[in-house]
Amino acid sequence: MSGASERQLDESIEVKGSSRKFNADVVQIGTFRNQSIMDTPMTVTVLTRALLDAQGAQTITDAMRDVAGVISSSTSPITAPNFMARGVQIQARTNYRLNGTLPIIALSPIMLENKERAEVLKGVSALYYGFTTPSAIANFVTKRAGSRPVTVVSLTGDSQGSYGGGVDLGREFGARKQFGARINGYASNVGTTVNGVAGNRWLVSGAFDWRPTDRLSFKLDIENSKEETYEPGGITVPAAVDGRITLPRIPSIHNRYAAKDAPYNAWATNVLGRMDYAIWKNWAFRVEGGIARTRRQRAISNVSNVDLATGWGTNTTTYAGDQDYYNLNVRTELSGSVKTGFIRHELLFGYNRNAQVQDDQNRTNYKSFRQNIYNPIDMDFDALSATGSTETYGSTNTDTGYYMMDRAEFLKYFTLIGGVRYETYETYTPHTNSDYTVKKVTPIGSLVIRPTKQSSLYGSYIQGLESAGTAPDSAVNAGTILSPVTSSQYEFGARYKIKEALISLAYFHIDRGLAYANQDNVYVVNGRAIHKGMELSVQGSVTHELSISVSGTWTHAVQAQTGNAAQNGKSVIGVPDYALSAFAEYRPDFLPDLGLNAGVYYVGRRSADSLGRAYVPDYVTLSLGANYRLQLPSGQTVTFRANGNNVTNTRYWSNADTVLFVGSGATANFSASFSF
C-alpha cells in the first residue's frame, strides 16, 4: 500500500471516530488489515470511538462488555481485569496488541484515552500472530493526527471520589503536511467501590507520522502509563463436602479482604515503529518492530477455608515486588497483487519474531491472619510478619514464524483464501533445565461469498500452536509457563448490512488443549476442551435517531480426554452457556446534540470447578447515561457526559475460578470535554 493510500486510510478512521457511528467498515487487525469487514472470514467486533464515548468508557472492562461472549475471568476487575472469549482465556502476554502488531502486556488496565478504537478478532489467529490462545486478539488502534487540527481538554470524575483530567493535541504540519503528531496526556486520582482501595493513574503518549514521499511513510508510537492502587483480595472456592461444593453467599461490594495498603502497582511502556514503502504499482514492503515492558508489584491476598455460616476464614498473603515482563517484536512483510487469467491474487509474505522475557521473581510469604468475608477486620500490611520467601525462575520464550497468504478473487462474487505458517517456538529456562523446542506448520483456508454488495457468507478453518498459558498467581505453581498445545477452529458465518447497521451471525467449533487448576491447585495441561457455539451481533444506526450495539452468544464448552471419567463431559471452568449485551443511544431529531443511552448486560451461570461441583449464579447489570454537546458562540464545543454503571448495585461474582472476586458496584461517571 502506498504512503498516499495509508494517509487516506488514517484520515478515514479519524473521520469515523469523530462521527457518531457505532460500527466500522474497515478492520486493522492481523492479515486482514485494511480489509472490508464484509470480506473478513472470521468474527470481528469493532468498538468505535463513538461507541466508547457514548458509554463513557475509561477502562478495558467498559469496552469489552460490548463484545459477544467476552466476560471477566481469573482476576479482580478492580486491579487487573482479565477476560475470556468463547470460553478461552485472552492471554495477557500474547493476545493484546497495539496497532495490529506489538504484543502489549495486559497486567494492568489498558488505558483508552489515547485510543481511537478497539477491535476484537475472535478465535484462532495463529497465521499472523503465531503463539496465541484461540480466544480473541484485542487490538487497540491509537489516535493519530489528521487533516483537521485537534485540541481537546477534558475533566473527569465519578461518584467514588475519582477526579482527573487530560489533554489531546493533534496536528499535521510541514509544507506538504508530511508531518503529523498526536499527543495525549491524562492523570487522575482513582476511587473504587471497595473500601480502602484507591490510588492514581496516568498516561503520556505520542503518535508521530512522517511521509517524506508518496511512496515512503514512517510511524512511531510511544506510550507510558502507571497505575498505583491496592489489592482488594479474593475468596478461594471452598473444598468439596460429600462430593459437593457450596459457595458462600456474595459479600458486600464494599468489602476488602486484603490487608490495608496491600499494594497493586504497575508501570507499562510500549514503543512501536513502522516503515511502509510502495515498491511499484501494486507491491509494498513493510517493516515494524517494538518493545513492550510491564513492571508490577502485587500483594496476592486470598481468604480460604471460609466458614459458610460465620464468614470467618484464613487470609494468606504473598508479595511479589519485582515482576518484570518484556516483549520484543519484529515483523517484515511484502504484499502485492497479480492476475492469473480471470483470478486476481492478493499475496502476503511475512516474517515475525517475538521474544517473551520473564525475569526471576522473588515472593515473600506472610503470616496468615483471621479474616471475615462479611465483616472484614482491618489489618495493616506493614504489620504482617514475613515467614519466608520463594523464587519463581524466569524464562525466555522465542516465537519465530514465516507465513504466506493468498486472497484469490474470482467470478466477482467469490474470494478463496489460503495460507500457511511455519512456526518455531523455543523456551529457555536456565534454572530448571526444562527447555523445549516445538516446530509446526499451521494452515488456514476460507471461502467468502458476496451474493450482494450488502451481504457476505463465509466459512473458514485454521490451526494454531498456542501457549497453554502461565499458571495464575492463585496456583501452587504460580508463574510456571506451560507446554504448548495445538488448537483448531471451524467457523461459518454471515453478514448483512442494512443502511448504517451491520448484522453478523457465526457458528464456531474450537478443539484445544485443556488447562486448569487440578484438585491440588496445580495449574496443568491435561486433555482437550471442545468449545462450540453461536454468536449474533447488530451494530450501527437502525434509524436516524437510534444507534445500537447488541450481541449475544451461546457457548457449549466441555472437557474431554482428561483421563478422569468424572471430569470428562463436564463444563469448562468459567464458561457461561449464555451471555448478552445490549446498548442503545437515542438522539432526537428535535434536539440532535442530546444523547440518551441505556445498556443491559447478562452473564449466565458458570462452573467454578472442573468436576462440576459448584456453579456461580447468573447476573444482570444495567447502565444509564446522557450526553450533550454545546456549541459556544466563540466556536468552541463543550461535551458533557454522565454515565451510571451497575445502577441497581447488583451483587455478583465477576468470575468463576479457583478464586472468586466480587464485581464492582454502582458508579456514576462524569466528564466534560472542551474542543478548541
Side-chain angles (χ1 to χ4, degrees):
M1 179 175 288
S2 70
S5 297
E6 281 289 339
R7 180 178 177 181
Q8 292 169 3
L9 178 62
D10 289 343
E11 290 178 351
S12 70
I13 289 176
E14 178 212 4
V15 171
K16 290 175 185 176
S18 61
S19 71
R20 294 171 177 174
K21 290 184 65 174
F22 279 14
N23 63 321
D25 301 317
V26 176
V27 297
Q28 289 292 298
I29 194 167
T31 52
F32 311 112
R33 281 198 277 188
N34 309 335
Q35 297 283 347
S36 165
I37 197 169
M38 300 293 289
D39 295 327
T40 304
M42 299 176 73
T43 298
V44 181
T45 301
V46 179
L47 307 174
T48 65
R49 189 70 247 179
L51 176 59
L52 297 175
D53 284 344
Q55 294 184 314
Q58 294 183 333
T59 68
I60 187 174
T61 301
D62 298 332
M64 287 296 197
R65 63 185 176 179
D66 287 306
V67 185
V70 173
I71 60 172
S72 293
S73 171
S74 300
T75 58
S76 168
I78 300 293
T79 51
N82 280 351
F83 303 92
M84 61 168 52
R86 294 181 171 176
V88 183
Q89 190 79 20
I90 303 179
Q91 225 283 329
R93 296 187 60 199
T94 60
N95 287 46
Y96 294 86
R97 301 284 165 149
L98 183 67
N99 289 331
T101 187
L102 180 67
I104 56 181
I105 302 166
L107 296 177
S108 61
I110 295 172
M111 298 189 186
L112 301 179
E113 283 79 11
N114 67 327
K115 307 302 190 299
E116 185 62 44
R117 63 182 188 171
E119 304 171 327
V120 182
L121 173 67
K122 297 283 190 64
V124 181
S125 53
L127 178 73
Y128 196 77
Y129 290 115
F131 213 65
T132 57
T133 59
S135 52
I137 294 294
N139 179 45
F140 296 87
V141 181
T142 54
K143 297 176 180 178
R144 313 202 78 81
S147 56
R148 293 182 298 181
V150 173
T151 304
V152 178
V153 176
S154 61
L155 301 174
T156 61
D158 66 33
S159 58
Q160 305 303 327
S162 302
Y163 60 90
V167 62
D168 180 6
L169 302 172
R171 294 289 189 277
E172 286 188 334
F173 51 95
R176 297 180 293 105
K177 301 294 183 182
Q178 69 269 34
F179 298 102
R182 190 75 176 259
I183 306 297
N184 277 266
Y186 180 82
S188 72
N189 283 338
V190 177
T192 74
T193 56
V194 179
N195 293 333
V197 177
N200 62 82
R201 68 184 185 102
W202 57 257
L203 165 74
V204 178
S205 72
F208 306 98
D209 299 274
W210 178 34
R211 295 177 289 270
T213 71
D214 288 341
R215 290 179 174 269
L216 181 65
S217 67
F218 297 91
K219 296 178 184 293
L220 175 65
D221 283 273
I222 303 172
E223 60 178 22
N224 186 261
S225 63
K226 179 190 73 171
E227 181 191 40
E228 293 182 340
T229 185
Y230 302 109
E231 180 76 15
I235 301 171
T236 303
V237 171
V241 178
D242 296 328
R244 181 182 176 185
I245 296 174
T246 302
L247 299 180
R249 68 181 189 274
I250 302 173
S252 167
I253 58 176
H254 303 298
N255 289 355
R256 183 193 72 233
Y257 318 112
K260 183 180 179 181
D261 296 339
Y264 191 107
N265 303 322
W267 300 262
T269 301
N270 303 309
V271 180
L272 174 64
R274 168 177 152 187
M275 182 199 77
D276 291 89
Y277 182 68
I279 304 171
W280 70 87
K281 196 174 180 181
N282 297 319
W283 286 85
F285 175 74
R286 172 182 295 175
V287 58
E288 53 192 335
I291 180 171
R293 181 196 179 191
T294 292
R295 183 167 65 92
R296 183 171 68 167
Q297 300 170 340
R298 183 188 181 191
I300 306 155
S301 186
N302 301 318
V303 181
S304 59
N305 301 318
V306 173
D307 185 304
L308 300 180
T310 66
W312 284 103
T314 302
N315 178 290
T316 303
T317 301
T318 301
Y319 176 64
D322 56 356
Q323 296 180 310
D324 222 341
Y325 304 90
Y326 302 83
N327 282 330
L328 296 95
N329 188 268
V330 65
R331 184 185 300 274
T332 60
E333 289 182 346
L334 176 67
S335 61
S337 62
V338 297
K339 291 195 69 173
T340 57
F342 63 90
I343 301 176
R344 180 175 179 268
H345 300 268
E346 291 185 5
L347 302 174
L348 175 68
F349 304 90
Y351 163 83
N352 174 229
R353 182 179 177 87
N354 186 70
Q356 188 183 76
V357 181
Q358 174 182 311
D359 286 349
D360 293 349
Q361 300 175 7
N362 291 304
R363 293 170 177 253
T364 302
N365 303 314
Y366 289 91
K367 184 178 180 180
S368 60
F369 62 93
R370 296 286 287 167
Q371 181 61 286
N372 193 298
I373 65 172
Y374 300 124
N375 296 287
I377 64 169
D378 282 337
M379 173 68 73
D380 289 337
F381 180 70
D382 291 338
L384 299 179
S385 57
T387 60
S389 63
T390 59
E391 185 173 15
T392 300
Y393 296 119
S395 66
T396 300
N397 309 322
T398 304
D399 175 14
T400 305
Y402 300 86
Y403 55 93
M404 63 173 293
M405 191 175 80
D406 179 9
R407 294 175 54 92
E409 301 176 2
F410 58 97
L411 299 180
K412 187 179 179 180
Y413 303 106
F414 301 93
T415 301
L416 184 64
I417 302 173
V420 65
R421 180 184 180 103
Y422 175 72
E423 180 89 4
T424 301
Y425 185 81
E426 301 171 284
T427 293
Y428 174 61
T429 51
H431 299 287
T432 62
N433 296 319
S434 57
D435 305 343
Y436 54 80
T437 299
V438 179
K439 297 182 180 181
K440 188 173 179 61
V441 176
T442 57
I444 179 176
S446 61
L447 175 65
V448 180
I449 304 173
R450 295 293 302 270
T452 67
K453 290 183 179 180
Q454 289 76 36
S455 63
S456 65
L457 305 170
Y458 68 87
S460 65
Y461 173 77
I462 185 169
Q463 286 185 359
L465 183 67
E466 62 158 305
S467 167
T470 302
D473 289 334
S474 58
V476 171
N477 58 334
T480 301
I481 298 174
L482 304 183
S483 301
V485 294
T486 57
S487 58
S488 62
Q489 172 185 283
Y490 295 93
E491 182 171 326
F492 302 94
R495 294 186 176 97
Y496 189 73
K497 193 169 185 180
I498 304 177
K499 294 184 179 179
E500 295 299 321
L502 179 65
I503 303 172
S504 301
L505 176 67
Y507 168 82
F508 62 89
H509 185 285
I510 299 173
D511 184 340
R512 65 185 297 261
L514 177 64
Y516 61 97
N518 64 17
Q519 294 181 354
D520 298 320
N521 198 28
V522 178
Y523 204 69
V524 297
V525 178
N526 183 32
R528 306 293 296 177
I530 310 299
H531 300 244
K532 60 182 179 180
M534 299 283 293
E535 294 177 343
L536 174 66
S537 68
V538 183
Q539 273 191 314
S541 300
V542 293
T543 71
H544 181 66
E545 298 175 298
L546 182 64
S547 298
I548 65 173
S549 177
V550 178
S551 65
T553 181
W554 165 74
T555 306
H556 183 62
V558 297
Q559 305 169 82
Q561 303 173 30
T562 65
N564 183 354
Q567 188 171 344
N568 291 336
K570 295 295 193 303
S571 296
V572 175
I573 291 177
V575 185
D577 286 342
Y578 298 96
L580 170 71
S581 69
F583 179 82
E585 182 176 68
Y586 175 67
R587 289 188 174 276
D589 281 338
F590 63 86
L591 196 57
D593 289 325
L594 173 67
L596 304 173
N597 61 68
V600 180
Y601 308 95
Y602 170 77
V603 176
R605 75 166 194 161
R606 294 160 286 168
S607 172
D609 172 67
S610 61
L611 297 178
R613 297 172 297 183
Y615 281 84
V616 167
D618 61 352
Y619 69 89
V620 177
T621 61
L622 305 176
S623 71
L624 295 172
N627 54 79
Y628 186 75
R629 186 174 62 179
L630 177 64
Q631 192 75 37
L632 300 179
S634 55
Q636 291 88 0
T637 300
V638 184
T639 303
F640 300 96
R641 301 185 187 278
N643 293 84
N645 293 319
N646 190 11
V647 294
T648 58
N649 212 29
T650 298
R651 286 191 197 182
Y652 63 96
W653 297 116
S654 68
N655 68 310
D657 212 324
T658 54
V659 177
L660 301 176
F661 296 91
V662 179
S664 298
T667 303
N669 301 309
F670 313 98
S671 70
S673 298
F674 304 85
S675 298
F676 300 92

